[in-house]
Structures are given as structure tokens and as C-alpha cells.
Amino acid sequence: MVLALYWLPSLAWATEPALQLHGFASQALVWTSDNRFFGDSPDGSLDFTELGLNGSWRADPRLLLATQVLVRRAGEMSDATPWLDYALADATLVSAPTHRIGLRMGRIKNPIGLYNETRDVPFTRPGIFLPQVVYFDRVRNMMLASDGLMFYGERYTDLGTFSATLGAGLPLLDANVEWNYLLDDHDGELEPEHPVPLLSLWYADPAERLRLGLSGAAMHSRFDPGSEAAIGAGNLDIRYWLVSAQYNAANWTLAGEYAHILIDWRHFRPEADRHHAIQTGWYLQAAYRLSPAIELMLRYEEGDADRRLGDLHLHCPASDHSRIWVLGTRWDLGRRLMLRLEYQRHHGGFTLSYRENPPGDGVVEDWDLFAAQISLRF
Amino acid sequence: MTPLASRRAPRLRPSAKSLICSLLLIWMASVDAQVLIAHAAVEVDHLTQNEARRYLMMRVPRWPDGHAVRVFVLPDEHVLHRRFVTGVLGLYPYQLRRVWDRLLFSGTGQVPITVTSPHELVRSVASTPGALGYADAPPPGFEVRIIEVR
């Protein structure tokens, strides 16, 4: 499919500057020595496919309308059902030489960390997979986007640009959230109790060599059990904080992020009325550009969960930690085609989906991952 | 003869040095002569480097007169694009690509229109109201505004 698209003429319209249409497609091959990751990876999985089409129209210099449809297949975590990735109106309220203020309305990608807004676009990721200890693909929808409002502001000074985004919106909860935080796809509905507040603060020096960020969101949700549910009604609250840093040099880009996630369960079990756990994850990453077309990447990741979920009489996660070394390469073949290869050495299974690796199956602690990906943009 | 030669030599050396320096300066000037250009009706004749960066990063949707800003660029790998981005803006081309990709794939902005040749770039800027682009030198034969970057 990716290669077929390559032979199509460019679909990016430039004749009418106010309207822009673009897109991307990718196909990956994933092999793991043990454990399942994006499909039946021990046998070699092709179940990681991404396809996106987006359009934007500048109706007025101060008003932008934009939407993107995404088709994503990711093992058992995501089938290829087309999905409205974002659909928003962006109004610039004030634009001056020293500052800019605006408002976004609709389905908006959450501006969390260095990569979340464009996490499904292979060209914007540092590797085939984002660092899973921070950007969980096993529970991606929770932090992916919000249906709501976001105010943003930028202040330009001689020291650099200070930006802030403040918003509130309903998260897009799906079965993966239940699998990850209630450890099963229970009979019943997990719904957000009210719009999730979201905050994002960034600093960048004038030449954007250094970028520093702090992002956070607090989700409150309620589970209403069906008649078959093994757990009672309860509340699931998740507070997510992410600290980010990036340094850009001519040939090097260094990046690091630290995530702190506080999870609070209430009322699911009469015998364990309240329980909380803390998850942490961090990574350090270096990318070196051998030439404008070839890039090498090295990353170390650590993630830790709280095993005391057993106190809730839920299934205990098979693995509560991950230590991961990642080595990757990117090769841009012209403006539209990109090839990637990646090797990961894992100790632990914190990043694995419980949906793909049911708790009863057990997790092999030391395992390897090889992946290759071809991506196209237009 | 010897004293004369030794007297001449010091006079010649600075001349040779200044000639080399002049040639070097001319060469550097020719290398760094890229200019920011805009549609002739744009009423801006100078920008600071930081302001120019913000226009190219698509953070400025309107000119001071209210017209929409339309940015035209060459492909990332084009030598003129690389020279302009590093020499005039003080950025690396991959940084601009990253900023543009974030806007494009998050729906929070539009990206510059990429044209294939310097000639097409100048022609597009000259014929599109509100257009902004760059050239290797003030382009002869086209009516565009040169914006000084200070």
C-alpha cells in the first residue's frame, strides 16, 4: 500500500494557498524474541500500519479550520477503523510583535511533551516507536486528544519564547484504558466524570536550540459496571505530569523526558476501598545526523509501575518495570519516502499491553525487538 | 639591493594580505547575500532576526496591514534554502521542518508552500499578495520588496 501510494502524483495542493491537503502512510514489520508487541511479533508481525489524511483551510488570516482522519492498526490494541484524529477551529485573537493569543475549539491533540501532538506520524517520531515508558501505546487514547477548548499564548522576548496552553476537554477513553488500569475489559462503561484540565508550559531560546517543557493533565473517570462485571462501581483518577528537555545542535539532537503518573482507585472493592499507585518513566535520547538524509539514534529508557495492584484483588501486572536500550537509524529517500530500522533490548515488560499479553500468560523478562518501517508522506 | 628588497617586501605583504582579505570578503558576501523578499505591496522593510524566524515558523498569520502571510520555500535539501536558513535566520533546516510538521500534523497551523526552483520562488512571491520568500540576491526583473533582516 505504501509503495502504491508512492507512485501517485503529489496530492499536496498548492494552487489555492488557503487550502492545504497532506497525508502519510507507513507499514512496519515487528519481530520480538518473546512477548507480544504490536501483534504476533514472535512470528514476525505486520500489524502496525498507519494512514493519515489531513486538510486545513485558512478561512481568514485569523481563523484556521483543520481536520485529520487516521487509520491505525496496532496489534490487538487498535484495529483499522477510521478515526477522527482532530477536527478543530483555531482562532488567533491577538497577534502582535511581542505576543500572540489564541483559542482552539473541537477535537484537539493534547500538547503534552515533545511528541504527543504528532505521535502517530512516523516522520515526527524519533524512532519507529516512541519511548514507551512515557508515551504508552498500550493506553494511548487517554492522552491522545480532548474534545473541548484550549487557550494558548506565546510571549516573544530577547531571551526566547515563553508559551502556555491551558485547556479542558473530554478524553477519548477506550477499552485499552480499562485493560491497563482495571486490568480487563470489564462489562460496563468507563466514562470521564468531567472535562480534563490540561496545562502545558514551554520555553525555547530565540534560535530554538534549547526547549524546556512542563505538561500535565488530571483525569477523573467513573466505572459503571454491567451485570457480568467482576468489580463494582468505582472511580479511577489519573494525574499525569511530564517534564521535557531538548537540545538542538547542527548534527546532534539530545532529548530527555520524565513522566510521573499518580493513579487513584476508589470504591471498586468493598474490602479495599481506596488504593493509589505511582508510575514513573524517563528516557535520554541522542540523535546524530550523519548527513541531512541519514540519522542514528540511541536511547535509554526506564519505567516502573506499582505492583501493589494485587491489594485491589485485580490481576497483578506480570511485570512492573522496564529497562530498555534502543538503537535506530533513519534514512530519508528524497522528500517523501523514509526507511527506518530499530533494535531494542528489553529487561522487563512494563511497556507491554495486558491486552496482548494476558496476565496469566506470563512475561519473559529479557527480550529483544527488531523492527523495520517504510513511510511515505504527501 | 638587499636593503631595498627587504624594504619592499613588508610593503608587498600587507597588499597581498589585503587582496586576499578583500577576495575573501567578496566571496563571503556572495555566499551570504541571501535576502528576504516579499510581495511588493507588503509594507515592511526590515525585521529583526527573531521576527524573521517567527514569520518562517508560521507564527505570524498576518502582516501589520492585516493581509494573510503566505510563505514560499525551496525543498529542505536545496542549497539556497540551507544557506538562507543557517545564514540569515541562524537556524538549522531540520528545526524548521520539525516546527512545520508539528503544525501540519496537529492541525494547529499551515505550512509554507514548497516550490522547486529559485526562479519559481521569486515568481510566486512577486505574484502572490502577502507572499514572503527568499532569494540568492535582489532578483532582477521582478517587482518584490526586499526586507532587511537586522
Side-chain angles (χ1 to χ4, degrees):
Chain A
M1 179 191 69
V2 174
L3 284 174
L5 281 169
Y6 183 75
W7 298 109
L8 285 173
S10 174
L11 291 172
W13 265 258
T15 48
E16 169 48 69
L19 177 70
Q20 294 190 346
L21 296 173
H22 293 272
F24 61 92
S26 78
Q27 175 63 55
L29 169 65
V30 185
W31 178 87
T32 55
S33 59
D34 301 280
N35 307 321
R36 296 177 78 236
F37 190 68
F38 285 72
D40 284 320
S41 50
D43 297 326
S45 167
L46 289 167
D47 284 353
F48 185 22
T49 310
E50 296 162 306
L51 181 67
L53 279 171
N54 67 56
S56 64
W57 181 48
R58 196 163 279 290
D60 175 275
R62 289 162 298 187
L63 180 63
L64 178 75
L65 304 174
T67 188
Q68 178 162 282
V69 174
L70 184 71
V71 174
R72 184 173 185 270
R73 200 163 48 122
E76 287 181 34
M77 298 176 286
S78 181
D79 60 19
T81 308
W83 166 269
L84 188 63
D85 195 34
Y86 59 75
L88 61 96
D90 183 329
T92 305
L93 304 176
V94 181
S95 177
T98 55
H99 61 281
R100 180 166 72 126
I101 297 170
L103 171 67
R104 297 186 181 116
M105 291 161 284
R107 176 164 296 176
I108 309 158
K109 301 304 283 283
N110 290 333
I112 292 177
L114 292 167
Y115 303 111
N116 191 59
E117 279 176 292
T118 57
R119 61 183 298 156
D120 296 316
V121 186
F123 293 89
T124 67
R125 292 194 294 255
I128 296 176
F129 303 102
L130 282 176
Q132 298 290 304
V133 296
V134 172
Y135 298 93
F136 307 101
D137 273 317
R138 57 181 167 86
V139 57
R140 60 194 288 283
N141 270 21
M142 193 183 67
M143 62 188 284
L144 186 67
S146 307
D147 290 339
L149 283 177
M150 281 187 204
F151 282 94
Y152 63 90
E154 291 181 336
R155 175 91 173 96
Y156 312 123
T157 73
D158 290 342
L159 289 175
T161 301
F162 297 85
S163 332
T165 303
L166 185 62
L170 293 174
L172 312 169
L173 301 185
D174 66 356
N176 287 311
V177 178
E178 284 188 45
W179 271 101
N180 277 281
Y181 294 113
L182 302 177
L183 301 180
D184 209 335
D185 184 6
H186 297 280
D187 178 28
E189 288 290 320
L190 185 69
E191 299 278 354
E193 276 204 307
H194 51 73
V196 169
L198 184 141
L199 172 73
S200 170
L201 302 170
W202 284 92
Y203 163 77
D205 73 282
E208 302 235 347
R209 298 282 188 274
L210 179 68
R211 298 179 66 220
L212 301 171
L214 172 70
S215 332
M219 185 193 80
H220 301 278
S221 62
R222 178 168 178 78
F223 178 73
D224 289 315
S227 55
E228 308 280 306
I231 56 173
N235 295 76
L236 173 68
D237 297 344
I238 298 173
R239 264 173 280 168
Y240 183 97
W241 287 102
L242 183 60
V243 180
S244 314
Q246 185 183 58
Y247 182 75
N248 298 301
N251 298 321
W252 286 93
T253 294
L254 306 173
E257 296 193 284
Y258 172 79
H260 186 276
I261 307 162
L262 182 67
I263 309 157
D264 200 21
W265 294 264
R266 280 177 289 138
H267 314 315
F268 287 103
R269 298 273 189 198
E271 65 275 23
D273 190 54
R274 184 159 194 173
H275 182 79
H276 74 269
I278 291 170
Q279 288 186 359
T280 56
W282 64 269
Y283 72 91
L284 289 173
Q285 175 182 280
Y288 181 71
R289 283 169 286 279
L290 289 171
S291 73
I294 300 176
E295 183 178 286
L296 301 175
M297 183 268 288
L298 178 69
R299 183 168 69 218
Y300 178 70
E301 307 174 34
E302 279 199 20
D304 288 284
D306 193 326
R307 280 199 86 138
R308 291 174 299 153
L309 273 172
D311 296 351
L312 268 179
H313 302 283
L314 295 168
H315 294 292
C316 195
S319 177
D320 62 350
H321 60 273
S322 273
R323 308 281 179 267
I324 312 167
W325 282 98
V326 183
L327 187 62
T329 179
R330 166 184 179 152
W331 183 22
D332 287 280
L333 294 147
R335 268 172 262 159
R336 294 165 60 191
L337 200 57
M338 177 184 76
L339 296 176
R340 270 192 161 134
L341 291 172
E342 195 160 310
Y343 167 71
Q344 301 188 355
R345 175 65 182 164
H346 286 251
H347 176 71
F350 170 63
T351 58
L352 294 169
S353 164
Y354 307 139
R355 202 174 187 181
E356 292 197 312
N357 300 273
D361 287 6
V363 162
V364 175
E365 280 282 293
D366 292 292
W367 54 289
D368 300 287
L369 178 150
F370 287 99
Q373 188 180 47
I374 180 168
S375 310
L376 168 74
R377 61 187 294 164
F378 49 85
Chain B
M1 288 302 289
T2 307
L4 188 62
S6 66
R7 274 202 306 277
R8 270 180 190 162
R11 278 206 301 274
L12 276 172
R13 264 189 227 116
S15 312
K17 269 185 190 167
S18 61
L19 179 67
I20 290 164
C21 283
S22 305
L23 286 172
L24 192 63
L25 282 173
I26 291 166
W27 178 76
M28 283 170 68
S30 70
V31 167
D32 284 332
Q34 298 85 43
V35 288
L36 191 61
I37 58 172
H39 186 261
V42 168
E43 293 172 345
V44 170
D45 53 17
H46 67 270
L47 291 171
T48 66
Q49 189 185 48
N50 285 344
E51 285 170 339
R53 285 168 174 157
R54 289 199 286 276
Y55 275 86
L56 267 292
M57 286 180 180
M58 311 299 278
R59 284 186 171 137
V60 188
R62 294 194 300 164
W63 292 105
D65 65 6
H67 281 96
V69 177
R70 312 247 191 246
V71 181
F72 290 86
V73 295
L74 291 164
D76 291 5
E77 66 276 13
H78 197 285
V79 66
L80 171 54
H81 178 78
R82 301 187 70 80
R83 280 185 193 161
F84 173 76
V85 172
T86 52
V88 177
L89 299 181
L91 299 171
Y92 304 116
Y94 78 87
Q95 291 177 286
L96 280 181
R97 175 54 55 196
R98 202 188 278 161
V99 168
W100 296 337
D101 279 352
R102 196 184 310 132
L103 295 174
L104 168 63
F105 293 113
S106 64
T108 55
Q110 289 196 316
V111 292
I113 294 155
T114 304
V115 295
T116 52
S117 71
H119 180 78
E120 194 186 345
L121 200 160
V122 175
R123 194 166 51 80
S124 301
V125 171
S127 61
T128 310
L132 180 70
Y134 48 79
D136 235 338
F142 287 98
E143 198 183 328
V144 294
R145 179 173 291 276
I146 308 291
I147 298 180
E148 187 191 351
V149 179
R150 293 173 179 169

